[in-house]
Amino acid sequence: MKLFSKTLIAGMAFAASLTVAPLSQAATPDNQLVIATSLAQVLSVDPQQGTEPKTQEVLAAVYDRLVYSDDADKNTIKPQLAEKWDIDDTGITFHLRDATFSSGNPVTAKDVAFSLTRLLKLNQSASAYYKSAGYTAENIDSLIKVIDEKTFRINLTDKVTAEDMLYRLAMGISSIVDSVEVEKHVDHNDYGNAWLRTHVAGSGPFTLRRWVPNETVILEANNAFWGDKPAMKRVIMRHVPESQTARLMLARGDVDIANALTAPDVKSFTGKSGFKVEQVKIGGFYVLAMNAGRKPLDNPLVREALAYSIDYKGIANTILGPYGRQRNVPVPEDWAGAIANPDWSFQPEKAKKLLAEAGYPDGLTLTLKTIAQPPRVDIATALQANFAQVGIHIEIKQGNGADIVSAHRARDFDLLLPQATAIMPNALGAMNDFVTNPDNRLEAKNAGNFVWRSAWDIPELNTLRNQASSERDPAKRAALIKTLQEKFVAAKPAVLPMFESFAPIVLQDDVKGYTTNLWSLNRLEHVTKAK
């Protein structure tokens, strides 16, 4: 028989009240921020494991990184735990500020080394962003150095520039964990993963009070935080998968922010007194992933047929709206170095001809897997209707975040609707997910690699990406990136970018200082609620 303490029971009751509170409740307190969102993809709060956008929003509040990318200042890299850094021909040396973790332990260079080493040796999908830069579980120990308690150095490989390395260090996967605390919870050489999946050990402005999967995340202000004291005593993220419910909660003042609304519900607040709508360009894409390890999707002609079977403009106008726009090259069209879009459009007769040429004159039957949340379900339904017009019959299979992410990583799908994210705010960073696959073998088990999940073998593109990543000359690098985009389009990709994705959010007008980030790393310590 399990025994529960009164404190635990009280905490559970509090969380439950947040989850089922009626829509008629009073406006939220001045020192409490309540966000209606989707927590379906929050599967782990281990910063060296969880990579999904909503997970990043939690991680940004409870962890610090050495540096961060300031979206409001042209994505300039700025200090966080590192007060300053020195760049030379072979590496970067960081000088840390005085800071403590929420446990009271000081933040040291040992914690930085532990965190980055842990990232590579834990070998979760998050490590792919460092592997593509030449860092591995085998060489990481030789490439980092603890010089003293407040000085840390990382040497560059021949596959990465200092600028690109700084952007990787600004990602959520580079969060610095409390090595002293984590090492207390290591179980069977798991680097503390079992414990960190549901606990936090950070130095950020908030701590994690409670997380109930698919229900609630409760953050509380960290009294030991080294920076400005958060104005919000508590931040509550409520899982509200029904957009209409979230819209009503926002309209009645039950929540301060809604960031998982459908396009029509976002539009309903445009120009409405007391609310503001923001659309953030995040450098990501809604993607049609095709399993090139299965017939008939191993055939480039079939993949090309699918590309010509999609009414991109219609879906963008009627479904996506504030969530995105058509873009079939994996670089946002207004980023430096982006090439023009190919002529992919809804051309059913051309698609039928390609299918016949591929040996499928009578069409195909495929399954399409998607997470059950907007706007992906609506995109899936539209694709189903588009494909039917060229003889491709689609069965849609919806699931929660855990189900769909697992299927993607296991190559267990025909078609799937994931999102890709730029690892840097530049053309090469946007392309990284689409042109990186150093080892396509199943036994490589490289599930952290976006292309590997689609079993799309691209040695030429991968080699060209490596060349562009290591090229120090700006003009030569720009030429390589242009060629890389052109070859990607010509290859009839199995990871087809359909729409550049935006992040629309609706806020109560009194919420100030809430800013989104390229990687959903939304810091919350400067959020206030004006009278």
Side-chain angles (χ1 to χ4, degrees), residues 1 10 144 194 236 246 332:
M1 179 178 179
I144 59 175
I236 300 169

Side-chain angles (χ1 to χ4, degrees), residues 26-49:
T28 61
D30 291 342
N31 65 350
Q32 181 171 289
L33 185 72
V34 183
I35 304 172
T37 188
S38 171
L39 300 175
Q41 287 184 276
V42 182
L43 310 178
S44 167
V45 291
D46 185 332
Q48 276 84 54
Q49 181 178 46

Side-chain angles (χ1 to χ4, degrees), residues 125-239:
S125 61
S127 65
Y129 298 112
Y130 275 69
K131 289 178 180 178
S132 66
Y135 296 88
T136 67
E138 291 72 32
N139 70 15
I140 186 64
D141 289 321
S142 65
L143 292 170
I144 59 175
K145 183 178 181 181
V146 175
I147 297 174
D148 58 40
E149 190 173 84
K150 293 295 182 181
T151 312
F152 169 81
R153 179 176 175 81
I154 184 165
N155 289 325
L156 302 173
T157 71
D158 60 1
K159 293 184 178 180
V160 69
T161 64
E163 178 189 15
D164 291 355
M165 191 67 237
L166 285 170
Y167 279 120
R168 281 173 168 81
L169 290 166
M171 298 179 74
I173 61 172
S174 302
S175 297
I176 308 305
V177 304
D178 183 345
S179 63
V180 175
E181 189 66 24
V182 173
E183 285 178 329
K184 293 178 184 177
H185 301 280
V186 173
D187 183 25
H188 295 90
N189 297 316
D190 73 340
Y191 301 96
N193 175 243
W195 184 76
L196 271 182
R197 286 175 63 90
T198 56
H199 298 78
V200 299
S203 58
F206 291 86
T207 60
L208 178 65
R209 172 176 173 177
R210 185 168 181 80
W211 167 36
V212 181
N214 290 323
E215 289 187 16
T216 310
V217 170
I218 304 174
L219 308 174
E220 290 196 339
N222 176 14
N223 294 327
F225 181 53
W226 53 268
D228 296 333
K229 182 178 179 180
M232 296 293 105
K233 181 180 179 181
R234 181 176 293 124
V235 175
I236 300 169
M237 300 177 185
R238 299 180 60 175
H239 180 56

